[in-house]
């Protein structure tokens, strides 16, 4: 499945009235990813991704929810995820070329 195919299929599950929903949902789902990691750190004292398949599975499920919200935000704004991804890689490549990949600010 391509990312644009995913985006179209994911949108077929959309059941919300306000276009703000996926933006707020993204914050919530990203928080759930962070929460899984935080709880793991509290319980284990450190992260060891390779030896904790339960954490990996939980993160995968939450990232799926994050991806759905991102796809919906793109759809609401008339964007295709493939274009968003290509633009992001072009931006990162430019920053790396100019030696500002570790800097801060949107327009570095």
């Amino acid at each position: 499945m391509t990312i644009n195919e995913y985006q179209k299929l994911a949108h077929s599950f959309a059941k919300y009235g306000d276009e703000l929903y996926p933006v707020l949902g993204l914050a919530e789902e990203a928080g759930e990813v962070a929460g899984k990691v935080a709880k793991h750190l509290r319980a284990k004292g450190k992260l060891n991704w390779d030896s904790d398949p339960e954490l990996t599975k939980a993160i995968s499920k939450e990232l799926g929810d994050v991806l759905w919200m991102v796809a919906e935000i793109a759809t609401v704004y008339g964007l295709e995820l493939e274009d968003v991804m290509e633009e992001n890689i072009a931006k990162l490549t430019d920053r790396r070329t100019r030696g500002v990949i570790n800097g801060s600010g949107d327009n570095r």
Side-chain angles (χ1 to χ4, degrees):
M1 172 183 311
T2 69
I3 193 72
N4 286 345
E5 289 170 343
Y6 170 84
Q7 182 178 355
K8 287 182 180 82
L9 185 58
H11 185 63
S12 73
F13 297 95
K15 300 288 183 226
Y16 54 86
D18 192 313
E19 294 175 347
L20 187 57
Y21 172 78
V23 174
L24 296 174
L26 175 60
E28 177 186 9
E29 296 300 342
E32 289 184 23
V33 172
K36 298 284 184 200
V37 173
K39 288 176 184 173
H40 179 84
L41 277 171
R42 183 180 60 213
K44 307 283 184 179
K46 66 176 184 168
L47 285 178
N48 191 350
W49 300 100
D50 295 337
S51 66
D52 195 335
E54 187 176 308
L55 176 62
T56 300
K57 184 174 182 164
I59 295 293
S60 180
K61 286 177 135 181
E62 296 303 335
L63 286 177
D65 294 340
V66 167
L67 182 57
W68 189 87
M69 294 295 179
V70 169
E72 278 303 293
I73 294 167
T75 299
V76 164
Y77 284 96
L79 302 167
E80 289 189 341
L81 285 176
E82 184 174 347
D83 295 336
V84 172
M85 291 167 30
E86 288 174 356
E87 183 178 332
N88 181 254
I89 292 299
K91 176 184 76 175
L92 293 171
T93 300
D94 178 62
R95 286 180 179 173
R96 182 173 55 196
T97 301
R98 293 182 294 114
V100 295
I101 196 87
N102 291 332
S104 61
D106 288 341
N107 297 313
R108 60 180 180 259

